[in-house]
Each structure stands twice: as C-alpha cells, then as structure tokens.
Amino acid sequence: MENRIQRTELIQFGWSAAWDQKWEVTMSTYTHAEKETRPHFEPARITADYGQKYGILTADGNKFGSLSGKARDLFCEGSKPGVGDWVIVKSYGEYDDALIHGVLERNSVISRQAAGFETKEQIIAANVDTLFIVCALNGDYNSRRLERYLIMAWNSGVNPVIVLSKSDLCEDLAPYLAETEAISPGVPVIPVSAHYGLGKEAFEVYTGYGKTVALVGSSGSGKSTIINWLTGETHQLTQEVREEDSRGRHTTTHRELFRLPGGGILIDTPGMRALSIWEDGEGVSRTFEDIEQLAQQCRFADCQHVKEIGCAVRNAVQMGELEAKRLGNYHKMLREIKFQVNKEAAAAKKSTRNAKHSTNRDKKAGWRKEIED
C-alpha cells in the first residue's frame, strides 16, 4: 500500500496496476547484491529527451536523469530509453540527476531507421496507445507519405488515427477525405481546424484518462498548433509555412511529453523530412491489405505483380480499381524493407567478424606476453 501511495504522482502520467506487476517482475530478476539496494530504486517516466540527458517524472516530481555507466554499456544506440518509457532510477539528492539503470518492458515502441548511412534504430516514442498521423490539407498533402506512417504505426503495435489538419485552407474537403480513406481502410480519419476550433471533440475518444497518444508528421503539418489547442496552453512555438511549397520549419526540436486536461498523455515529436522504415512486422500487409487480398487471385502464387500473366493486381490497375501509384509505392516499400534487412544482416555479420578478430588478437597478444615472460 505504501508504494501505491508514493506513486500517486505517477498515476497521473499513466502508471497503473499493470505497470506495478511489470515492476515486480523486473525487480525479481535482480541479483542478491542488487536487491540489497532495491529500496533506493524507484520507477519514473521519461518526459523529454535532450540528447545526453532526459527529463523524468518520479514520485517526488520532475527531475533530470542520465544513463548509469552500466546502462550505457547495456543499451545499444537504438535501444536506449525514449520518451514515454518507464525506467528504473536511483535518486541521489533533490538537485542531483537521477541515474537510469533499466527500462521496464514496453507495451509498444514507435521507431524508424535513423537518418544517415548507418543501420540504426531511432526510437520516437514508447508505450503509446494511439498514434496521430498529422497531415496538412495544403500543398504538402501526400498520400504516399501517409502510407509510410501507417506502416510505421502498424509495425509499432499502435493504433493509427489520421488527422487532416488545416482544413480551413481546403476549399473542397471531400476529395481529400476520399483519397485518405481509400489508402487507410478501417483507420479513423479526423479533419480538423485549430484556427476555427473544428474537430476538437473527435480527439476526446483517444485522449482520456490514463491513455498515451503521440503526434507525428512532417514539418509545418500543424502538430505544435494542435498541442497548444489540446492542452489549452502555449507549450510549443508555431511558425508559418513557406507559401511557395507549403513546407514548414522545425519548431519542435526534441521529443516531449505533456499531460492533457482530461488526464491523458500526449507526446510531441520533431517534424520529419523523411521517414525510413526500420523493420516490417505486419505493417505492409495491413497498410496494403487491398493489394494483398487481390494477390490471392493471381494465377501464380509467387506473382510479383509486374509482368506476369494472370496477375489480378495488375488487372485491377488496368480496370481502374487500384491506383497505379499505390501499387508503385507497395513495390517501393517492399524493396526498401528488403534493402534494410540486407543491411542489418551485413552489419551483424561484420560485427561478428570484428569480434572474432578482436578475440584472436587478444589471444595472440597473450601468447606473445607468455613467450616474452
């Protein structure tokens, strides 16, 4: 009972009986020596990621946290804690940073392939229930980009909701709604206008007490405006988009967690210029379910939907039942994922080879030392 009373502050940020159970399971795996210091360990939720440091919320309030030396060795770059994670921390004083020693098992994790040439996962947010994919109804609207975000959401184990922002800038909403719903069957689509306060009530289904949602979208899509709109406060600065191409500038520079008036939790993320898929679970199958259902009618089980005779998918394109660009993006996603898998395999092989060479060098160095002695 004492632990539950002490965690009242955490409950307001999503702590529940389920997390209590995960805490006990995690603590039960600690060694005898570690259990001796267990009273000093406490749960915390990461509220912001500043690079080398994190903003965290403990039972005693907000603090800064950093990875312990052991944790830095245990976490590879992609598995480091992210905003929304529940972590195991040890505090040393009111004004000192808390040290993060571990991460509780996640319910979900939204990630992408990090920018650059290195094969590396980048965690966007963790323990999210619903992902709001924000796309502005201006010159930056792109259904192919929406398909990428849907793949990321399904891969993450998160329920996606598409938010068509800045609907006041759109003279005719119907074509956009029809196109969006066509590429996302079964996914809720919410047109909103923060400028006129339209559509705000549609968010309430997903932002209730104890629920965590995250916002993703390109720069200038209106995420920061929606944050301020939903929280009722000016948490994020906003900037106008460029008129010539409807592109925005980054106003959010880091990932951050906010508490909503209704008790929900919202995670904001910086705008993404590009989104590379990290891995594919069921993302492609769920995003392109219409294509994969058509594929079952193809003459050949291994049909690639390119030039094969009796291809039901290509026939649907010719009959105008399937958009050629959608099929093209389907092929592009499969190629990208295959390339990513090959990169990961090559990186793993290289890592194994380097470890083997390092072991051999250590052995040879040991032999030389024995001979010299």
Side-chain angles (χ1 to χ4, degrees):
M1 180 63 68
E2 182 181 355
N3 284 340
R4 295 183 186 277
I5 293 174
Q6 291 175 347
R7 293 171 190 170
T8 301
E9 182 78 13
L10 298 183
I11 291 173
Q12 297 179 14
F13 280 79
W15 188 265
S16 64
W19 288 109
D20 258 323
Q21 293 176 1
K22 288 191 177 186
W23 175 264
E24 293 302 326
V25 169
T26 303
M27 290 294 102
S28 68
T29 64
Y30 276 39
T31 64
H32 178 74
E34 290 169 327
K35 287 180 179 178
E36 291 296 320
T37 62
R38 175 174 172 171
H40 301 288
F41 287 132
E42 59 178 323
R45 193 167 198 186
I46 293 183
T47 59
D49 185 349
Y50 301 111
Q52 296 299 318
K53 289 190 177 184
Y54 297 96
I56 64 172
L57 179 85
T58 70
D60 296 323
N62 292 301
K63 295 183 179 182
F64 285 106
S66 54
L67 293 177
S68 67
K70 185 177 180 180
R72 283 196 296 269
D73 293 336
L74 289 176
F75 291 123
C76 62
E77 187 66 30
S79 66
K80 286 182 178 179
V83 174
D85 263 322
W86 287 102
V87 292
I88 303 165
V89 304
K90 187 175 181 180
S91 298
Y92 293 89
E94 184 178 355
Y95 301 104
D96 294 327
D97 287 358
L99 286 182
I100 299 171
H101 290 265
V103 178
L104 297 187
E105 181 186 358
R106 296 161 174 147
N107 290 335
S108 63
V109 57
I110 302 170
S111 60
R112 68 169 180 171
Q113 161 62 33
F117 297 102
E118 187 179 355
T119 302
K120 184 170 63 175
E121 179 184 16
Q122 181 183 29
I123 293 179
I124 297 171
N127 300 314
V128 172
D129 300 305
T130 302
L131 180 66
F132 289 135
I133 302 170
V134 184
C135 181
L137 290 178
N138 55 18
D140 195 41
Y141 176 86
N142 188 318
S143 57
R144 304 287 79 86
R145 187 190 302 129
L146 281 176
E147 289 170 343
R148 281 182 174 269
Y149 280 115
L150 286 169
I151 292 173
M152 180 180 70
W154 293 128
N155 284 345
S156 305
V158 176
N159 293 318
V161 171
I162 296 176
V163 180
L164 299 179
S165 63
K166 304 183 182 181
S167 62
D168 53 287
L169 301 179
C170 177
E171 295 182 0
D172 188 3
L173 182 61
Y176 287 102
L177 280 174
E179 182 175 356
T180 304
E181 290 170 352
I183 66 169
S184 58
V187 175
V189 179
I190 304 175
V192 301
S193 169
H195 183 71
Y196 290 110
L198 301 176
K200 184 178 181 180
E201 67 283 352
F203 287 102
E204 295 176 359
V205 177
Y206 311 99
T207 58
Y209 187 86
K211 297 180 180 179
T212 299
V213 300
L215 288 175
V216 294
S218 58
S219 299
S221 62
K223 293 188 287 76
S224 296
T225 300
I226 292 174
I227 291 271
N228 297 337
W229 187 32
L230 292 179
T231 60
E233 300 179 29
T234 305
H235 285 291
Q236 303 290 59
L237 298 176
T238 60
Q239 296 183 14
E240 296 295 329
V241 299
R242 296 195 300 259
E243 292 184 3
E244 62 270 20
D245 59 4
S246 297
R247 292 295 181 90
R249 290 170 289 177
H250 290 290
T251 53
T252 303
T253 57
H254 60 271
R255 297 166 188 81
E256 190 167 359
L257 182 152
F258 301 95
R259 187 164 181 263
L260 299 176
I265 304 298
L266 189 151
I267 298 175
D268 189 21
T269 65
M272 300 181 191
R273 293 293 189 192
L275 173 61
S276 297
I277 304 301
W278 168 244
E279 62 181 9
D280 180 49
E282 55 180 15
V284 169
S285 296
R286 296 196 65 169
T287 301
F288 296 97
E289 186 176 357
D290 53 342
I291 294 178
E292 301 219 339
Q293 286 181 349
L294 284 169
Q296 296 177 13
Q297 304 172 28
C298 292
R299 178 179 298 181
F300 304 107
D302 60 347
C303 183
Q304 300 299 305
H305 322 306
V306 180
K307 296 181 179 180
E308 294 86 350
I309 298 173
C311 175
V313 176
R314 296 294 300 174
N315 183 59
V317 172
Q318 293 171 6
M319 296 294 292
E321 299 170 357
L322 177 67
E323 188 183 8
K325 289 183 179 179
R326 180 165 169 79
L327 177 58
N329 203 35
Y330 172 72
H331 285 307
K332 184 178 181 180
M333 294 297 96
L334 290 178
R335 289 194 301 270
E336 185 173 315
I337 290 168
K338 182 179 179 180
F339 177 72
Q340 180 66 27
V341 169
N342 290 338
K343 277 183 65 178
E344 290 178 40
K349 185 176 180 180
K350 182 179 179 181
S351 177
T352 301
R353 186 169 59 248
N354 289 342
K356 183 177 180 180
H357 289 167
S358 177
T359 300
N360 290 337
R361 284 196 301 270
D362 291 342
K363 287 182 178 179
K364 290 179 180 178
W367 294 336
R368 292 194 191 98
K369 191 175 186 306
E370 289 180 5
I371 292 173
E372 290 172 358
D373 291 345

